[in-house]
Amino acid sequence: MPSVALPGERAELLERTVAFQGYFRLARYRFRHSLYRGGVSGAFDREVFERGQAAAVLPYDSVRDEVVLIRQFRAGTFAAGRHPWCWEIVAGMLEEGETPEEVARREAVEEAAVEILDLVPLYSLVLSPGACSETCTIFLGRIDSTGIGGVHGLDTENEDILVKTMPFADALALLARDEIDNSAAVIALQWLALHRDELRNRWR
């Protein structure tokens, strides 16, 4: 659920211009807003990376107690000075008219060749609220992990995605060693660690 306004919190958009439009879009916003000490701020500018809405899903086989993680090259991780291949969960951007649930199911097929049998919504987040408009709805997806793995992705999107099925304990070990460094995967794995017994009882 989106953040709820506290009394007196008001923001006014004065102007928005597109500063750059390429593969992604950067917009410049001019705001003013209420102040906690009273009154209103002066006008100020902020650049925002306008990314859109995303959905992500952690595929989980409750019978085998296995998860499916994917690994691919990431330009942003490279720019951050990290090794640019990342362990992630399945994710993708909403296209016009799609729901987050539809995207989670579609991307599971496109990125990992896995069918989602049931979806559990976890959280809806703003991933980097100081600089980016991207939101992400995170799910856990029930699957049958039999035969899942290999290299997948769409050639038209220049995807080269390693798909790996592993015991949940091994995924938690990766997390403990700080080898999973993107927020959606960390959040989904930690949620599953807290609710795993409940899910296994529900889905057995």
Side-chain angles (χ1 to χ4, degrees), residues 58-64 66-68 108 114-118 141-146 148 165 203:
L58 172 62
Y60 176 58
D61 185 328
S62 60
V63 176
R64 293 179 172 83
E66 293 179 336
V67 297
V68 174
V114 63
E115 179 186 0
I116 300 295
L117 304 174
D118 194 9
R142 182 168 66 93
I143 65 163
D144 177 355
S145 62
T146 304
I148 300 301
T165 298
W203 287 344

Side-chain angles (χ1 to χ4, degrees), residues 150-203:
V151 178
H152 299 282
L154 298 179
D155 291 340
T156 55
E157 296 184 11
N158 204 40
E159 292 179 332
D160 176 57
I161 301 172
L162 177 67
V163 178
K164 177 75 172 175
T165 298
M166 66 181 71
F168 178 60
D170 289 358
L172 279 187
L174 286 173
L175 192 59
R177 294 195 302 267
D178 201 25
E179 293 184 38
I180 299 176
D181 61 359
N182 69 90
S183 58
V186 170
I187 289 165
L189 287 167
Q190 289 182 336
W191 187 96
L192 182 55
L194 292 172
H195 299 275
R196 175 170 157 266
D197 291 343
E198 170 196 339
L199 275 180
R200 297 194 77 191
N201 287 331
R202 185 197 312 178
W203 287 344

Side-chain angles (χ1 to χ4, degrees), residues 25-76:
R25 180 170 62 236
L26 184 71
R28 181 173 294 111
Y29 286 76
R30 175 161 291 180
F31 297 107
R32 61 175 166 237
H33 63 73
S34 57
L35 301 172
Y36 287 121
R37 62 178 178 266
V40 179
S41 73
F44 62 95
D45 294 342
R46 289 290 184 271
E47 286 76 35
V48 176
F49 178 35
E50 295 186 338
R51 179 80 168 101
Q53 295 181 322
V57 58
L58 172 62
Y60 176 58
D61 185 328
S62 60
V63 176
R64 293 179 172 83
D65 197 24
E66 293 179 336
V67 297
V68 174
L69 297 181
I70 63 174
R71 191 171 174 88
Q72 58 187 316
F73 175 85
R74 291 304 201 187

